[in-house]
Amino acid sequence: MTQQVTEDPATRTPRTSTRNANLSDLAHMLEVQNGRKLDVVAPASSLTVANGNLIMSGVEPAMTSQGRAFMSDGAYQPTNVAEEGFAAKLGIPVGYLRRMRTENPALYDINVCGWLEQDPTRKFLIRAFRGDAAENGGGGVARAFLSDSYRLIDNFDILTAALQGVESSGHRVEIRGCDLTDRRMYVRVESDQVAVQARELLRGYRSPFTGETGDQLPMISAGFVISNSEVGSGAFSITPRAVVQVCRNGLTMSKDVMRAVHIGAKHDEGIVQWSGATRARELELVASKTADAVQQFLSPAYVEAKIAEIEREAGKQISDPAQTIEVVSKQLSFSGPVRESILNHFIRGGQTTAGGVMQAVTSTAQTLSDADAAHELEAMALPALAAAARAA
């Protein structure tokens, strides 16, 4: 279900969050975000916190894409991600920081300001969305508080370059769903042309969503996930992902991920703006990496080899499902509600094996409304398989 762009009524800044959107919706959301972005490198001496907001002062004006100047100085309301940046860069435990925000906001201001004052020359990269009030002096959202050597590789550019890489590979693919959160962008790509039989892996399995069985449709498609974070929550990555056609469960092969980290040379102080040549070089690399990934991950031989690896553990019988899933959940730190959902999906799936536990993890992931949590859980399916096989 897609959630369209909305604006925070207090700051008049875009709040973009979507789950299972189509490509057009995602592209529109990213364009709206790009029109509001402000990236500033500022020394600690130009930063303070008041009423829980990050205050920038003495920063040069920036320009909109229409060529209008607006003031960068002003108050920016931090997101949870930016607050995590405060904690990481200033050495304040994040739990304590959030407790202060809730229970003692004045102490919150004092703590953050105090640690900023420890080294007035230290520089930070602030990624923000400007609000409508920005043209008259600030008002917006601080979305990330990062090192001044953080390399900017933005979601819209990643999406465009990656799709160019897919096109240049010559493979026909479908975009099966897009997620966007305050932390990351996820784009799921699948090839129906590259599908292999997995009768042994899917024997006896029943989709908890439709009741259709793996014996009726024993096919697994090749695919991958394109992911990126603009705010320090992970690298640009391309991760192979096999899709069980009978239930749309995704098996993410995290060990084979292709990554590009966001670390580069330090930015100069002030508004951060890339030159066209620098941007072109970065995006050419993204397109090249994507084309390489497509050739590797959308290969029948690759998918068959991965299925063979999975089948070596997937057939082990589970005699006590509740106990096994309890053990797996403890080892992988699943919450109580997630553990209960996995057990329910295991029972409905009808496959009383370690492979059935794996399928229950991935089908549970499909039901989560939090896209970050869903992708994290899906990535734990193969570790859950291994843990269930050991406990069997």
Side-chain angles (χ1 to χ4, degrees), residues 148-151 261-267:
D148 63 345
S149 60
Y150 184 82
R151 185 171 61 179
V261 298
H262 291 257
I263 298 175
K266 289 185 179 296
H267 300 291

Side-chain angles (χ1 to χ4, degrees), residues 255-326:
K255 289 183 179 179
D256 295 341
V257 62
M258 190 174 292
R259 297 160 52 89
V261 298
H262 291 257
I263 298 175
K266 289 185 179 296
H267 300 291
D268 293 332
E269 189 174 318
I271 304 296
V272 179
Q273 293 179 324
W274 277 14
S275 71
T278 300
R279 193 182 213 87
R281 285 195 299 271
E282 292 286 349
L283 299 181
E284 284 173 9
L285 179 60
V286 169
S288 176
K289 281 181 173 288
T290 304
D292 291 343
V294 170
Q295 296 298 341
Q296 178 183 350
F297 300 152
L298 299 191
S299 158
Y302 175 83
V303 181
E304 288 169 354
K306 290 300 174 181
I307 291 173
E309 288 179 17
I310 293 169
E311 286 177 341
R312 284 196 283 270
E313 294 183 310
K316 294 185 178 180
Q317 287 293 316
I318 302 297
S319 58
D320 188 341
Q323 177 62 27
T324 298
I325 290 172
E326 177 77 21

